Amino acid sequence: MDSSKKLLFPDQILSSRRNILTRFGLGVAASLLLVTLLSLTSSSFNVPFVSPLLQGLKSSNLNTSSSSVKQVDEKPQVVNLTDTVPDAKVPTFVPEQRSEETGDAGSKNTTLSEEGKVPSFDSGQRSGETVTTNSSLADDQNTLEVNATTSVANSSSLVSDLGGRFVPANTSNENGSVVTDRSRGSFEDCDIYDGSWVRADDETMPYYPSGSCPYIDRDFNCHANGRPDDAYVKWRWQPNGCDIPRLNGTDFLEKLRGKKLVFVGDSINRNMWESLVCILRHSLKDKERVYEISGRSEFKKKGFYAFRFEDYNCTVDFVGSPFFVRESSFKGVNGTTLETLRLDMMDKTTSMYRDADILIFNTGHWWTHDKTKLGENYYQEGDVVYTRLKVLEAYKRALITWAKWVDKNIDRNHTHVIFRGYSVTHFRGGPWNSGGQCHKETEPIFNTRYLAKYPSKMRALEYILRDTMKTPVVYMNISRLTDFRKDGHPSIYRMVYKTEKEKREAVRHQDCSHWCLPGVPDTWNQLLYVSLLKAGLASKW
């Protein structure tokens, strides 16, 4: 047989197989090309030479809409707040860890409603909403943050800056009436604590001229103590989502007519109290009609102080109670005096404010002192003095004692309760008692990367307000907005120095926790005014 004919049959088969493989290969290639084109269609990249080819596909039924789904990696971390101590039954809570991708620490936007309606609140509590919280629980150095989503039910008592149905008011005119302004969005549905500081180069700031108020403690009167710059009084707080009204002093006083407003807490709350007294006083023509009822003009000593506004038959008071709970002492075995803090008993000052119409509480800074931080043979419950107890756990137990007292003794139909959050300090190079400094700071922080993390104590506070209290509490979350203001502290301008040598030595002992007046606490009082409006209290004061 001819060799060429022998090869013919296998060649035909091979040729047929090649044709099949070729068609199969073309099919695969076409499929890959189509998949590639579809991928490019939904991609965010813009490839110039491919774009014209994709126009038809983009308008066809093959087009797929892309959605951005952000996956939050929530890894719950259990923070053990309870030491092994006798007779200590305290509820625990588990914080969730916040994603580290943003620099914002402590901005909070929460709406929680209280079980049952409070007749004195003009607010139908909203429930069943889903809101985002951005807060944190940390150790004493504030090392843990939270970014979690909370589903709101009818079982909570924390009234935050979004809670309820609010009075639609945005600005106050000069005669004291409230005017609505919705040009940037209403503050009713806005997180007023999320924003930034902007320059106010007009006459709107400060609320009262430096040197005009005789009721500012020497330690806070930076202008009188020789601070050479005044830019720190020319900043106003601007929320990101809305405009907020200025604090109208005469309107505030009209709402306080016949009532008693009391600040309870440490010297930072005294800072805020003096600020409000000065703002309200400045709004009056006859300033002689404002006076401290006992005639005092210095307020550093612990005790009770009350300013009476005669024409409005109201008082604005301050009660010094830095821990809320009772400081105690007793004789030890060897005759020495042992000082303790009774975490299970309220301070004896409660009788001075239990009948108030509006209460503004704060506690925090005295929990950073050496004795409270160390917690050795200092914290007491009943007859037990703990050899060692962590300060954050002690703080939480004190807050539980306070919360129980409020629930038992405060009439929710009569008294509105506010808790002002932790005011951040700005000590560079060391703590407050060993070289920490903020001298020569003349501008706020502008880069949020340099802000501190949300204070752990405020996370503990939120837990108490939300999970253990029945009384609605307006939480003023001022930690982050205050953290921007490294320029607002007295630093070395706490007193008048007689010599240059005294002034140089003062650099070693600076005040970077309190605030100059006029200054940052004026904004806190503006936010107090707005928070009360937001909570629907304006018509009920």
Side-chain angles (χ1 to χ4, degrees), residues 160-202:
S160 181
D161 50 90
L162 288 177
R165 183 174 63 254
F166 306 111
V167 176
N170 254 20
T171 58
S172 303
N173 60 22
E174 294 196 359
N175 63 13
S177 61
V178 181
V179 181
T180 299
D181 176 13
R182 300 185 183 277
S183 57
R184 287 191 72 251
S186 171
F187 67 83
E188 301 166 13
D189 300 310
C190 165
D191 182 357
I192 61 174
Y193 302 103
D194 175 30
S196 58
W197 293 90
V198 298
R199 287 286 297 176
D201 292 320
D202 51 18

Side-chain angles (χ1 to χ4, degrees), residues 138-418:
D139 58 13
D140 300 328
Q141 285 73 40
N142 308 328
T143 58
L144 180 63
E145 293 182 289
V146 172
N147 185 6
T149 299
T150 304
S151 180
V152 181
N154 283 326
S155 59
S156 183
S157 60
L158 173 61
V159 177
S160 181
D161 50 90
L162 288 177
R165 183 174 63 254
F166 306 111
V167 176
N170 254 20
T171 58
S172 303
N173 60 22
E174 294 196 359
N175 63 13
S177 61
V178 181
V179 181
T180 299
D181 176 13
R182 300 185 183 277
S183 57
R184 287 191 72 251
S186 171
F187 67 83
E188 301 166 13
D189 300 310
C190 165
D191 182 357
I192 61 174
Y193 302 103
D194 175 30
S196 58
W197 293 90
V198 298
R199 287 286 297 176
D201 292 320
D202 51 18
E203 297 303 315
T204 60
M205 296 298 287
Y207 275 99
Y208 48 96
S210 297
S212 67
C213 185
Y215 301 122
I216 299 175
D217 272 326
R218 172 64 71 178
D219 289 6
F220 309 150
N221 202 338
C222 303
H223 172 77
N225 292 334
R227 180 166 175 169
D229 64 304
D230 66 351
Y232 63 93
V233 304
K234 288 291 187 180
W235 294 93
R236 65 177 178 83
W237 179 249
Q238 177 62 62
N240 288 329
C242 59
D243 289 325
I244 55 175
R246 281 175 55 79
L247 195 168
N248 185 294
T250 53
D251 182 51
F252 204 124
L253 282 168
E254 193 58 52
K255 289 175 170 57
L256 286 178
R257 185 179 291 278
K259 293 181 172 55
K260 176 179 178 179
L261 181 151
V262 186
F263 290 86
V264 182
D266 57 28
S267 56
I268 308 294
N269 238 19
R270 177 162 54 86
N271 219 171
M272 185 178 178
W273 167 68
E274 292 180 16
S275 160
L276 184 60
V277 168
C278 291
I279 292 173
L280 298 180
R281 175 184 178 275
H282 186 67
S283 69
L284 302 178
K285 291 181 180 178
D286 188 357
K287 294 175 175 51
E288 296 298 320
R289 305 279 288 170
V290 182
Y291 54 89
E292 204 282 321
I293 58 174
S294 61
R296 291 171 291 186
S297 57
E298 293 186 359
F299 315 108
K300 288 187 69 172
K301 291 184 179 178
K302 214 185 282 189
F304 169 76
Y305 303 94
F307 270 94
R308 180 168 178 80
F309 291 79
E310 195 68 45
D311 293 334
Y312 293 88
N313 188 30
C314 68
T315 61
V316 178
D317 307 349
F318 172 72
V319 176
S321 180
F323 295 112
F324 296 163
V325 292
R326 187 172 303 183
E327 294 176 86
S328 181
S329 63
F330 60 89
K331 293 287 183 184
V333 236
N334 54 1
T336 58
T337 301
L338 183 64
E339 294 181 345
T340 65
L341 189 65
R342 288 293 304 266
L343 301 176
D344 56 344
M345 292 180 65
M346 287 292 285
D347 194 352
K348 294 179 180 179
T349 58
T350 55
S351 61
M352 301 176 185
Y353 57 81
R354 68 192 306 163
D355 61 339
D357 297 276
I358 299 176
L359 282 168
I360 300 103
F361 289 99
N362 100 291
T363 182
H365 283 272
W366 281 46
W367 297 87
T368 65
H369 294 180
D370 290 341
K371 187 182 292 185
T372 49
K373 283 181 70 175
L374 193 59
E376 292 183 353
N377 300 312
Y378 181 58
Y379 296 119
Q380 179 181 355
E381 287 181 316
D383 294 330
V384 177
V385 176
Y386 299 116
T387 53
R388 187 173 180 84
L389 186 66
K390 291 180 180 179
V391 64
L392 187 57
E393 173 63 12
Y395 181 80
K396 183 167 175 269
R397 296 184 188 201
L399 283 182
I400 289 174
T401 299
W402 165 80
K404 288 178 178 177
W405 182 89
V406 169
D407 282 343
K408 183 178 179 180
N409 294 277
I410 295 300
D411 181 359
R412 289 185 286 165
N413 296 326
H414 171 74
T415 302
H416 309 306
V417 182
I418 295 97

Side-chain angles (χ1 to χ4, degrees), residues 114-157:
E114 193 266 335
E115 185 173 2
K117 293 185 179 179
V118 183
S120 61
F121 278 67
D122 184 22
S123 59
Q125 300 294 344
R126 294 179 294 184
S127 63
E129 299 177 1
T130 299
V131 294
T132 301
T133 65
N134 182 2
S135 54
S136 65
L137 171 66
D139 58 13
D140 300 328
Q141 285 73 40
N142 308 328
T143 58
L144 180 63
E145 293 182 289
V146 172
N147 185 6
T149 299
T150 304
S151 180
V152 181
N154 283 326
S155 59
S156 183
S157 60

